[in-house]
Amino acid sequence: MNFLAIVGEALRALRQNRLRTGLTMLGMIIGVAAVVLMLSIGQGAQTKINQTIAEMGSNLFIVVPGATSSGGFSFGSGSIRTLTIHDAQAIAELPTISATAPVISGTAQLNYAAKNWSTLITGTTPDYFSVGNWKIESGTTFTESDLRSANRVVVLGSVTAQNLFGDEDPVGKTIRITNRPFLVVGVLMAKGQSLTGRDQDDNIFIPITTSERQITGNQFPGSIRLMLVQCKSADEMDIAEIEITQLLRQRHRIAKGKENDFTVRNLTALADVATGAAKVMSMVLGAIASVSLLVGGIGIMNIMLVSVTERTREIGIRMAIGANQRAILTQFLLEAMMICFMGGLIGLLLGIGGAWVVSQVADMLIVITLGMIGLAFLFASAVGIFFGFYPAKKAASLKPVDALRYE
Amino acid sequence: MLSIQTNHVGHSLIRIEDLCKSYDLQDASGNTITNQVLFNINLTINQGEFVAIMGHSGSGKSTLMNILGCLDTSTSGSYWLSEKNVAKLTNDELARIRNQKIGFVFQGFNLLKRVTALDNVATPLLYAGVGRSQSRKQALELLRRTGLENFAMHQPNQLSGGQQQRVAISRALINQPPLILADEPTGNLDTQTSREIMLLFQQLNRDQGITIVLVTHEDDIAAYARRLIRLKDGHIIYDKNNNTNISVDKLSRIFPA
């Protein structure tokens, strides 16, 4: 018997029992839709985290001054100001390091015309923008010469710019920071929230020299709150960490066996943890959805077994008029697989539709990849073959005389 | 039994030697009971014969029929169909024999439900590997010959018993088998329809030389055959030619129209 004819017989059998076929398919539809939806949500979360990490800047270390203790009291990290701008400059000279950006920070009151706004103020160097992966929306960043002459220039974060200026273009305007006039040279592109949920765009940036001398002041001149260090490549992160540590120990004249007075943190490692967590979440979601696919598969087996019993006489007739075991096996297997395939297709469309709805309603990033679609289909077919085979085998191995006599 | 021995040589279509069939049953206490249904059957049927196998229920006639039709296997003894030893055939070869060599006609018609008469007739051709459109063409031709072309697209439950049996006979004929096995083909039909069906069998036997083996418990149905075999408790107790068989011309006297 040719294969196409068996396909026709299987299709006819499915059409004859529309309700049963539909209900069986429903199990498959829900399973595949759930898998697609869950995978796309998981993948979306992963992509979102990856984006945030990329925006943070790649291959980053953050170096903060260490903790100190005095008379038995331990003060928190950064409680002494051991790191200096000169440390940052020295680290920048290391062969594995591409740039460093020292940072001092504080808060300040801003005024423009009748509006005023209080925000975080960051004193840093021009390298900060490349290290932190900031992009300029309009104007420029401040320059090395601004830094050397401690000019009163400022780069605004997008949220700050919006709050002070509204629709007006801030570049070239003068704002007052704690009553001192500053020239706005640039506005940054929006970056959104950091991994910790802080709005990174509500911020202003001025040369670190200007900040130290005129705005935030400094208890220990030349010391900094932290520095960002960018490594040239991801592979050299480990070496770079050792080099930074050694260099700072030398510069700070720390004797062997004494603890560091600074801490080097690898931000990429943090990012890896976050990505890993997202992956685990993605897998857990997928696994939960797979259970419904499994249940759908068992439903198919159940129905096919009932179908074989119910159609025993039909199987007997087919055998009497010349169907061999392979023809019977193929027909029943095809029926199961068609249910899976059609159910899978509908489930896929529903899953994509559901993902779109979720992305609209919950404002989440949803990612659907070809691999995901392939996986769902592969899984659906596998379920069809796996759960369809046993009933089909059972049908095919009936003895013609017994099948014919079955009432 | 002597007549069987003399029939043995030549173009026998069916040759059965010392065939036995028994079933193993479990009784209530789990002991195996062997229930023998057929005892040392010897039987030869030549190409072109019209044989009626008769007997009361429990005589083993249906079991013999199932073995003849390669639907069941014997416990011992041998069965040659067209000089092929059936016991040595694989399941696939048996399926091919049922498809090509044997046409079945059953008491309960055994048509595929919710499948049109046309497709019912065409299905054996599909299993023979013929394409669907070619199969339907041949099936329609056969339905025309049995006078059912107007019912080709009807489903079995929309047809009368006689029509259903004619569809079943068409299905049995579609692969042009040398042998038709009919198991109580008139059991569900009224007298008039029974007569029509039996005349159709006679016609097929006479005009196309198709060997027909008929199982029945009714004497007046067996009367259409040219050879009568009677089974009792698994033994052949009678095997003679039927000299008083009803032919088309004698028929009007027995069944006045």
Side-chain angles (χ1 to χ4, degrees), chain A residues 1-2 4-9 12 16-17 310 313-314 316-328 331 399-402 404-405, chain B residues 21 23 66 70-73 91-92 95-96 98-99 104 106 110-115 119-120 123-124 126-132 136 171:
Chain A
M1 187 181 194
N2 62 49
L4 267 180
I6 303 182
V7 171
E9 295 295 304
R12 178 156 61 194
Q16 278 172 5
N17 265 305
E310 198 183 271
R313 203 178 173 85
E314 177 199 323
I317 297 170
R318 289 183 183 277
M319 284 175 163
I321 61 178
N324 56 23
Q325 291 184 337
R326 206 177 49 247
I328 301 289
Q331 180 181 335
K399 268 178 77 179
V401 62
D402 295 334
L404 264 179
R405 218 184 273 146
Chain B
K21 177 69 183 177
Y23 296 99
N66 287 333
C70 302
L71 294 169
D72 204 353
T73 49
N91 282 329
D92 274 7
R96 202 171 308 127
R98 290 194 295 267
N99 186 239
F104 288 96
F106 301 95
N110 275 348
L111 296 174
L112 296 174
K113 283 176 205 160
R114 282 183 276 183
V115 174
D119 282 341
N120 257 298
T123 308
L126 292 180
Y127 287 121
V130 179
R132 194 171 281 274
R136 282 189 174 149
R171 181 179 67 183

Side-chain angles (χ1 to χ4, degrees), chain B residues 146-160:
Chain B
T146 44
L148 285 171
E149 73 263 43
N150 292 333
F151 299 92
M153 299 318 284
H154 285 55
Q155 294 186 354
N157 58 4
Q158 299 168 310
L159 297 172
S160 72

